[in-house]
Amino acid sequence: MSRNRLLIGAALTLAVLLFIFIAINPAPKPVPAEPTASTFPTTLEAVTQAEPGRRQLDIRQWQTDTGSRVLFVHTGQLPMLDVRVLFDAGSARDDGQPGLASLTNAMLDQGADGLDVGDIARGFEDLGASFGNSSHRDMALLTLTSLSAPEFRDPALALMRRIMHAPSFPEDALTRLRTQMLQGLRMQQQVPGPQLSRAFNALLFGEHPYATPSGGTPESLPGITRDDLVAYYQRYYTAQNAVIALVGDITEEQARDIATQLSDALPQGERAVRLPVAQTLTERHTTHIDFPSSQTHISLGNQLISRGHPDYVPLYVGNHILGGGGFSAILMDEVRQKRGLVYGVYSGISPMASGGPFTVSLQTANDNADAALKLTLELISDFVANGPTDEQLQLAVDDLTGSFALATASNSDIVGQLGAIGFYDLPLDYLDTFQQAISDVSAGDIRDAFQRHLVPDNLAIASIGPRAPDPARASETPVNDSAPADTAE
């Protein structure tokens, strides 16, 4: 009993001594880490100094034996796989049959390898997978999102391969989809937007393939046959004309096997011949569509550069300042906020393989159309002549770099970026260098780039409404400090 008391007493004595030692010698406080792109800032100073977060992507690249370019990024946060297969098979490849590319792409999941459209839809649905197909001016896409576990991934990929390998282009589906497209064209005649878009593209691109109406025409669609679809598929949906992007919770070895199977499922053939570069207009071109509406819609612009041009970054940042930055942009501030002349006005640059048009779109009440167009042209001319202020530039750089993390926020975002890098043959570090180039651009760079590529007197101007807008009819419009125009009808 006395021995137990001695042991307990010794233990208590040691505990007291240990407590005193810790009290006298507290553990050193950890040194706060310097703010980094991945450290959440907790003070105003840290917020000011923090750089926008960037997700570092380890992009792997190779080519399959049958000639498809492959880009892969492993992400393990979610048990998912995203697949995107891109073909140089957009509407610019319609070859005199407007709507052929769109109709061919839309028909791919309507039947394949003994399966009808219902079998295909149920097959993906039963696996919890999502399959998509779409066609654009430059490219055609096939996409798949699936769980990455083999019991879901493998059958979903097998179904995708069947679609890519042996689409049947059934006549009944062709009749149905062609009828839907023709009905859509008739409906577009009732609203101004699609009509203006077609007229503007025709004015801007002229005889270039980019002028081709992606959705076809009432004259072209009835003449497109099943044989046309099969021939188009065999010519453009080939392994050498494909880029495969893979993102998800799989290994590189699995990615290589998947890419090989997808590439092997495609017909053999040549890569599409590069399109000629769209030419810049050297004088003003105008067109107008009479339309009984209470608003006038106007589009104006010109061809600038193709994707990958050294001046793309200053033009991209400059466009954001001029009209691409929403309510902070010059056009929106001056034409809508200060004078209330328009419901909305926006600008954009669309970089494509063989073109990159700069466009401005605005919608206004008919009575304001002359003044709105005049002021818009004056602001463009002033911007080309003088460029942005340093304050406008800093605001744009902060806005663009601050939102850049969204470009890689999800697997679907990453696979989209990979697809663009592969399709447009951009360097693998494009995302990092592009963001850095935005941070490094100067106001002088922007002014010089716009002066090299945009002549305000040579813009194409297309409009739709009761009468063609004429800047010469507009009088001086004073600044209106009251509320801007109401939102569009």
Side-chain angles (χ1 to χ4, degrees), residues 64-359:
T64 66
D65 291 340
T66 48
S68 299
R69 184 180 182 185
V70 186
L71 295 95
F72 164 66
V73 167
H74 168 77
T75 60
Q77 292 84 359
L78 293 173
M80 303 292 295
L81 171 65
D82 279 83
V83 180
R84 177 169 293 202
V85 186
L86 306 90
F87 301 91
D88 189 344
S91 62
R93 305 289 182 182
D94 274 344
D95 300 327
Q97 290 182 284
L100 178 57
S102 296
L103 199 49
T104 302
N105 183 270
M107 284 286 292
L108 292 177
D109 64 348
Q110 298 299 298
D113 194 24
L115 304 175
D116 63 23
V117 61
D119 297 328
I120 293 172
R122 283 190 296 272
F124 286 119
E125 183 178 351
D126 290 345
L127 294 167
S130 174
F131 176 83
N133 48 322
S134 60
S135 179
H136 309 277
R137 206 177 268 166
D138 260 345
M139 66 182 72
L141 302 176
L142 297 177
T143 62
L144 175 68
T145 300
S146 168
L147 292 169
S148 56
E151 61 265 31
F152 300 102
R153 179 192 73 214
D154 292 346
L157 287 166
L159 185 52
M160 185 178 189
R161 289 197 303 273
R162 293 177 72 174
I163 294 171
M164 294 169 60
H165 178 66
S168 56
F169 301 108
E171 287 282 2
D172 59 338
L174 172 58
T175 300
R176 172 169 46 81
L177 291 182
R178 183 168 48 207
T179 300
Q180 290 176 359
M181 293 175 70
L182 287 168
Q183 290 175 341
L185 292 178
R186 285 192 288 269
M187 292 177 64
Q188 289 176 6
Q189 295 302 309
Q190 309 303 314
V191 292
Q195 295 183 65
L196 179 63
S197 177
R198 288 176 181 243
F200 178 71
N201 286 335
L203 192 66
L204 177 62
F205 291 115
E207 298 300 318
H208 192 275
Y210 280 155
T212 304
S214 299
T217 67
E219 296 75 28
S220 66
L221 290 176
I224 296 176
T225 67
R226 180 184 180 279
D227 289 342
D228 293 328
L229 304 182
V230 173
Y232 190 90
Y233 168 79
Q234 292 290 337
R235 181 176 180 182
Y236 290 112
Y237 283 78
T238 65
Q240 291 193 32
N241 205 35
V243 172
I244 301 172
L246 302 164
V247 175
D249 188 20
I250 57 173
T251 65
E252 182 175 336
E253 182 180 358
Q254 291 170 329
R256 287 180 176 273
D257 181 57
I258 291 169
T260 296
Q261 294 181 39
L262 293 175
S263 184
D264 288 349
L266 295 168
Q268 299 303 301
E270 302 294 327
R271 185 172 183 176
V273 177
R274 187 176 180 87
L275 295 170
V277 175
Q279 296 301 302
T280 302
L281 299 178
T282 56
E283 60 182 6
R284 178 161 294 180
H285 293 252
T286 61
T287 188
H288 178 74
I289 302 171
D290 289 325
F291 191 79
S293 62
S294 60
Q295 300 176 24
T296 298
H297 293 234
I298 306 171
S299 291
L300 53 97
N302 204 345
Q303 161 65 23
L304 294 187
I305 58 174
S306 300
R307 185 182 279 270
H309 192 283
D311 281 340
Y312 175 61
V313 169
L315 291 172
Y316 172 79
V317 178
N319 168 75
H320 191 82
I321 297 169
L322 178 60
F327 282 92
S328 66
I330 292 172
L331 292 177
M332 184 69 87
D333 182 50
E334 294 288 340
V335 187
R336 185 187 194 277
Q337 294 295 97
K338 291 182 178 178
R339 293 169 176 83
L341 290 175
V342 297
Y343 304 110
V345 55
Y346 312 93
S347 69
I349 296 178
S350 304
M352 297 179 289
S354 297
F358 164 77
T359 59

